[in-house]
Amino acid sequence: MSVTRHLSHEVTFRFHLTDPTDLHPGARHPRDNPDWPKTGIFAHRNMRRLNWLGVSRCRLVQVDGLDLHIEDLDAVDGTPVLDVKPWFAEMGPRGELQQPAWVGEMLDGYFAPHRPQDVM
């Protein structure tokens, strides 16, 4: 497999840990926060989707045979990867990006480095 490290990548994966009894196709508050408006399934990026597919952009760090070592993938370790594609800015949203203010509040620090908790 030849994958260049000079590209950003987009990964399509399967939410393999999804509980089929925990799907919410109707409108709901993001992260169950009543301060944010109820929104439908197409305003959420979580695992509670009827098709169980997720998409995330990430950074490719190393290719080791068929193993891709990546950072900043929005999935748990061991998640089945269905496809890897290069990300081109020209294929992203055209025009101005539209996003309500609550999304920035919800995702503030989402990819911040995790620090080990102090042990007492």
Side-chain angles (χ1 to χ4, degrees):
M1 174 185 325
S2 176
V3 181
T4 179
R5 291 180 57 170
H6 301 287
L7 293 170
S8 294
H9 289 84
E10 181 176 68
V11 174
T12 302
F13 56 90
R14 184 174 186 276
F15 285 114
H16 67 297
L17 301 177
T18 298
D19 177 354
T21 65
D22 192 26
L23 300 177
H24 301 283
R28 62 183 185 81
H29 297 285
R31 298 202 179 154
D32 297 320
N33 184 335
D35 294 336
W36 296 328
K38 282 188 173 185
T39 56
I41 191 79
F42 296 124
H44 297 266
R45 295 185 54 91
N46 63 32
M47 64 185 176
R48 293 175 178 93
R49 307 184 71 76
L50 299 176
N51 66 12
W52 296 5
L53 295 178
V55 177
S56 180
R57 280 186 274 160
C58 61
R59 290 184 295 134
L60 180 64
V61 177
Q62 178 184 346
V63 177
D64 183 19
L66 294 178
D67 293 330
L68 301 179
H69 301 265
I70 56 178
E71 292 180 345
D72 296 335
L73 181 66
D74 188 17
V76 299
D77 194 25
T79 296
V81 171
L82 304 175
D83 195 11
V84 178
K85 295 180 180 175
W87 172 262
F88 303 132
E90 292 79 5
M91 299 303 291
R94 289 161 187 83
E96 186 178 339
L97 181 65
Q98 296 181 24
Q99 173 177 298
W102 62 264
V103 174
E105 182 181 335
M106 178 179 69
L107 295 176
D108 183 40
Y110 188 78
F111 283 109
H114 296 285
R115 297 184 184 135
Q117 294 186 4
D118 292 39
V119 178
M120 302 255 178

